[in-house]
């Protein structure tokens, strides 16, 4: 059996200096992505269907205490209409994301919506609406939910506690365990460069993704939102922003067969090029926004979010141009999780 990655291996890679050595690491991540996941890029259309949130995560632009946000929730008919258009754009999964606002009626409405999407479209359904009790996840799974996306945000329990007044890391990890035990494909991940994060934290984050045997790993830069308590904080890698790509490349090496999206926040940090670069440094999934244009400015988790003046059709066309430029193909089929616990790439190959 191949040796497992450990903390010193990862820290060594994260210390790779700018220049040729970093480019070699990116190239290696791209090769591992090609070997394990192929050249297909799976398109998952994301509908940010509500920005109503009862939580006060210190970093998040739609936190409950931000009263500058105009709150909205899309109706079932509107969401269904957006989802129905996805297949014509090569999008085989719909991602339903919102703030965290548990309620009996809202959770039941989401179950009905999932069931209708499954009955009326060929789409796989990913849900991303935060922490819930196991029975709520079970009801959504029974309605047809295929996957769930819930980032652990940071593996450092003390840092997690400082940033999340409403929830602890143990509770978040418990939710992930519940989802796994229900047979739902599991997506999680973290923000890169949270204030207070150390290199060791980043390495631990990457290892935690491996230990959770995630089907999907969503990671992206922390970006300070001015209307939050962290508005004046700096990203921990502000002096070396390419660390965000290094983190992505190492995440791919350690998790060779996970689906890894080129997340939108990469474009916010590297306007015009971030997501394209991410696709050449380990990522194999793209999530075009299908959120209605007039709602996009109300779902600003962080500043400089791209595409806020665009429509779903524009985003759907834009991604095709990006893939053509990168010589990559649109993924056929749902792009379900394909991880098996024993598959790993060999860390020794990357030690210098
Ligand atoms: N409420 C759900 C949840 O908490 O999982 C889904 C929505 S939540 C707003 C989606 C993700 O946005 C979070 O997991 C977090 O990583 C990311 N996010 C929020 N604020 C951010 C910021 N300032 N910079 C970068 N990412 C941010």
């Amino acid at each position: 059996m191949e040796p497992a990655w450990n903390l010193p291996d990862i820290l060594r890679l994260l210390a790779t200096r700018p220049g040729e050595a970093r480019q070699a690491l990116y190239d290696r991540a791209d090769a591992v992505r090609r070997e394990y996941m192929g050249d297909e890029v799976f398109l998952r259309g994301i509908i940010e269907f509500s920005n109503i949130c009862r939580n006060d995560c210190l970093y998040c632009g739609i936190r409950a205490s931000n009263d500058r946000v105009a709150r909205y929730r899309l109706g079932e008919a509107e969401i269904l209409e957006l989802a129905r258009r996805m297949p014509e754009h090569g999008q085989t999964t719909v991602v339903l994301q919102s703030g965290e606002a548990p309620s009996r009626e809202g959770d039941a409405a989401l179950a009905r919506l999932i069931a209708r999407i499954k009955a009326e479209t060929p789409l796989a359904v990913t849900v991303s609406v935060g922490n819930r009790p196991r029975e709520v996840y079970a009801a959504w799974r029974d309605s047809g939910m295929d996957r769930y996306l819930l980032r652990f945000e940071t593996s450092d329990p003390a840092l997690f506690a400082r940033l999340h007044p409403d929830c602890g890391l143990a509770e978040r990890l418990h939710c992930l365990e519940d989802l796994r035990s229900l047979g739902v494909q599991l997506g999680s991940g973290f923000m890169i460069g949270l204030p207070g994060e150390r290199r060791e934290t980043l390495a631990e984050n990457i290892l935690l993704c491996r230990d959770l045997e995630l089907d999907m790993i969503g990671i992206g830069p922390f970006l300070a939102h001015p209307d939050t308590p962290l508005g004046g904080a700096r990203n921990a890698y502000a002096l070396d922003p390419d660390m965000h790509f290094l983190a992505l490349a190492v995440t791919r090496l350690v998790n060779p067969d996970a689906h890894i999206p080129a997340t939108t926040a990469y474009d916010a940090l590297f306007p015009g090029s971030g997501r394209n670069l991410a696709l050449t440094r380990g990522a194999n999934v793209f999530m075009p926004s299908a959120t209605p244009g007039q709602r996009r400015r109300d779902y600003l988790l962080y500043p400089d979010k791209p595409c806020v003046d665009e429509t779903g059709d524009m985003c759907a066309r834009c991604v095709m141009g990006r893939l053509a430029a990168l010589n990559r193909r649109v993924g056929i089929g749902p792009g379900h999780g394909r991880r098996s616990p024993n598959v790993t790439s060999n860390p020794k190959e990357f030690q210098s």
Side-chain angles (χ1 to χ4, degrees):
M1 198 168 128
E2 292 172 343
W5 289 89
N6 59 32
L7 201 64
D9 291 331
I10 294 176
L11 280 170
R12 212 168 10 253
L13 292 185
L14 291 176
T16 306
R17 293 195 176 280
E20 277 179 27
R22 267 194 199 175
Q23 189 55 51
L25 189 61
Y26 298 151
D27 292 346
R28 186 67 205 146
D30 198 39
V32 169
R33 184 272 308 155
R34 185 173 303 114
E35 181 186 348
Y36 284 82
M37 310 305 285
D39 275 333
E40 294 185 314
V41 175
F42 289 96
L43 303 184
R44 328 257 206 227
I46 180 164
I47 304 173
E48 292 143 337
F49 70 91
S50 167
N51 64 0
I52 299 168
C53 192
R54 65 144 201 219
N55 286 357
D56 249 334
C57 307
L58 265 62
Y59 45 79
C60 186
I62 61 167
R63 67 200 300 269
S65 299
N66 185 1
D67 52 19
R68 297 181 138 192
V69 174
R71 304 287 166 174
Y72 71 87
R73 184 180 173 107
L74 304 183
E76 181 176 293
E78 187 174 7
I79 299 170
L80 265 168
E81 188 46 37
L82 295 167
R84 278 197 197 98
R85 302 180 66 136
M86 289 182 180
E88 77 198 52
H89 296 301
Q91 298 168 17
T92 52
T93 294
V94 57
V95 181
L96 301 171
Q97 191 181 81
S98 73
E100 187 166 319
S103 78
R104 193 186 291 266
E105 310 75 56
D107 291 350
L110 185 51
R112 286 194 300 275
L113 173 66
I114 294 166
R116 283 199 66 185
I117 292 174
K118 295 300 286 187
E120 297 173 30
T121 78
L123 296 167
V125 174
T126 300
V127 176
S128 175
V129 302
N131 292 13
R132 289 295 193 281
R134 189 175 194 277
E135 56 272 19
V136 175
Y137 291 143
W140 291 339
R141 181 210 50 192
D142 293 345
S143 301
M145 174 176 82
D146 298 279
R147 315 186 189 119
Y148 204 86
L149 194 55
L150 181 66
R151 289 184 178 178
F152 58 77
E153 315 291 3
T154 175
S155 59
D156 175 344
L159 180 56
F160 190 103
R162 283 205 296 281
L163 298 174
H164 301 97
D166 310 285
C167 153
L169 180 59
E171 183 188 333
R172 185 63 58 95
L173 295 177
H174 189 77
C175 288
L176 292 171
E177 264 172 45
D178 282 344
L179 287 157
R180 172 64 84 204
S181 71
L182 287 165
V184 174
Q185 292 171 52
L186 199 57
S188 189
F190 54 88
M191 273 177 281
I192 307 165
L194 282 168
E197 172 180 315
R198 295 172 307 120
R199 282 283 169 91
E200 288 72 17
T201 321
L202 178 55
E204 297 276 15
N205 289 348
I206 294 170
L207 275 181
L208 182 54
C209 290
R210 192 268 320 266
D211 293 345
L212 291 169
E213 295 173 4
L214 299 175
D215 298 289
M216 307 156 312
I217 302 176
I219 66 174
F222 156 73
L223 298 149
H225 189 299
D227 299 329
T228 66
L230 294 187
R234 280 208 322 180
N235 183 294
Y237 309 111
L239 299 178
D240 182 8
D242 279 356
M243 275 298 292
H244 296 90
F245 291 117
L246 210 50
L248 174 69
V250 177
T251 299
R252 167 57 71 199
L253 296 180
V254 177
N255 299 275
D257 56 354
H259 287 291
I260 302 182
T263 54
T264 313
Y266 275 93
D267 265 11
L269 187 60
F270 302 94
S273 64
R275 281 186 285 183
N276 286 33
L277 287 171
L279 285 171
T280 64
R281 295 171 176 181
N284 73 312
V285 169
F286 198 98
M287 295 164 67
S289 175
T291 304
Q294 71 275 23
R295 298 299 186 189
R296 293 187 183 198
R297 287 188 183 280
D298 298 325
Y299 203 88
L300 293 185
L301 311 177
Y302 44 78
D304 303 321
K305 200 172 169 200
C307 317
V308 287
D309 294 319
E310 298 185 6
T311 63
D313 284 351
M314 288 159 86
C315 289
R317 281 197 297 275
C318 166
V319 67
M320 295 303 180
R322 289 176 185 250
L323 298 195
L326 295 171
N327 214 6
R328 299 276 282 278
R329 298 189 297 277
V330 175
I332 309 291
H336 283 316
R338 45 195 286 187
R339 301 210 66 185
S340 83
N342 295 324
V343 180
T344 175
S345 61
N346 185 351
K348 302 301 169 213
E349 274 179 60
F350 309 112
Q351 289 175 9
S352 48

